[in-house]
Amino acid sequence: MIPFQALLLFALAALILAITPGPNMVYLISRTLSQGQKAGLISLLGVIIGFLFHIVLVSFGLTAVLFTIPYAYTVLKWTGALYLVYLAFQALKPNGKNIFAVEQTLKVDAPSKLFSIGFLTNVLNPKVAVFYLSLFPQFIKPAYGSIFFQSLTLGTTQLVISFLTNLLIILFAAKLASFFQKQPFWVKIQKWFMGSVLLFLAVKMALSKGR
């Protein structure tokens, strides 16, 4: 079983992923602002099913890779650290995109299309795949028990955090968009906080010991 402290650290990384601007967030906010909360919630359901798709694939894949390929852990560790540095740069770079600066006038789509687009947006989102493949191995150790079960535990944690975060964004999309447009100073605070946490996680990951 993964130690509670390690699970909390992973939860923090998952939260940072959830609030980092990306295809999923832009799509959900766009749909909510243009077609209402119901459309946003249907789209979110598709996104969540997309997460399940990634979780199952990664859980089976990591179980095989970590036991069969020498130095796989080291490669994944540094890949994850570099990826977090990249995300930090994206958050801190000047003139970064405001997460609420999205298209608000989209055509009305049927629920089935909203769901399918949300699903495909997530399944085809490289950020999610790289997050799973690079960060999961940092918190998985054979001493904790089944690698497959540990992967599912991490995946479930990330899934719940992503769902709750995006749900709040959908429910308050219009108010949040209006607030950040009127108070750009808070956008800068959010960016610097996000970038600092990402850099901290990257350093911690790079300095972590192997198995």
Side-chain angles (χ1 to χ4, degrees):
M1 183 176 180
I2 300 175
F4 182 69
Q5 184 178 3
L7 197 58
L8 281 180
L9 182 60
F10 175 81
L12 175 62
L15 178 61
I16 294 298
L17 175 76
I19 63 177
T20 300
N24 291 335
M25 183 179 291
V26 171
Y27 176 68
L28 292 175
I29 295 174
S30 297
R31 275 301 166 194
T32 302
L33 294 179
S34 64
Q35 201 171 332
Q37 287 185 359
K38 182 178 179 180
L41 293 174
I42 294 173
S43 300
L44 176 58
L45 180 60
V47 169
I48 293 302
I49 299 302
F51 275 126
L52 287 175
F53 175 83
H54 281 292
I55 290 169
V56 172
L57 287 183
V58 172
S59 296
F60 280 107
L62 285 178
T63 301
V65 169
L66 293 180
F67 274 119
T68 59
I69 302 179
Y71 309 112
Y73 173 79
T74 301
V75 172
L76 290 174
K77 180 183 75 171
W78 284 102
T79 300
L82 291 174
Y83 178 63
L84 289 178
V85 171
Y86 167 76
L87 289 180
F89 170 75
Q90 293 297 314
L92 296 174
K93 69 179 182 180
N95 302 319
K97 185 176 181 180
N98 184 342
I99 62 174
F100 291 98
V102 296
E103 187 175 357
Q104 300 185 27
T105 55
L106 300 174
K107 67 177 182 179
V108 176
D109 286 327
S112 59
K113 188 171 183 179
L114 292 172
F115 175 88
S116 61
I117 294 177
F119 173 76
L120 292 174
T121 298
N122 198 8
V123 168
L124 301 177
N125 183 359
K127 184 175 75 170
V128 178
V130 174
F131 174 84
Y132 285 157
L133 288 173
S134 59
L135 258 67
F136 272 34
Q138 323 307 323
F139 299 91
I140 293 175
K141 293 184 179 180
Y144 297 158
S146 168
I147 288 181
F148 180 76
F149 180 75
Q150 291 180 64
S151 297
L152 290 181
T153 300
L154 295 176
T156 301
T157 301
Q158 188 274 331
L159 187 68
V160 171
I161 290 174
S162 179
F163 173 78
L164 293 177
T165 302
N166 285 301
L167 178 62
L168 290 175
I169 289 174
I170 289 172
L171 294 177
F172 298 101
K175 293 181 180 180
L176 288 174
S178 176
F179 173 80
F180 281 117
Q181 288 173 358
K182 296 178 181 178
Q183 304 289 339
F185 176 73
W186 288 104
V187 175
K188 295 181 180 180
I189 293 179
Q190 178 258 0
K191 289 172 61 177
W192 278 99
F193 173 76
M194 183 187 306
S196 300
V197 174
L198 286 169
L199 286 175
F200 167 76
L201 290 173
V203 172
K204 182 175 179 60
M205 181 183 300
L207 296 178
S208 65
K209 296 180 180 180
R211 286 169 170 73

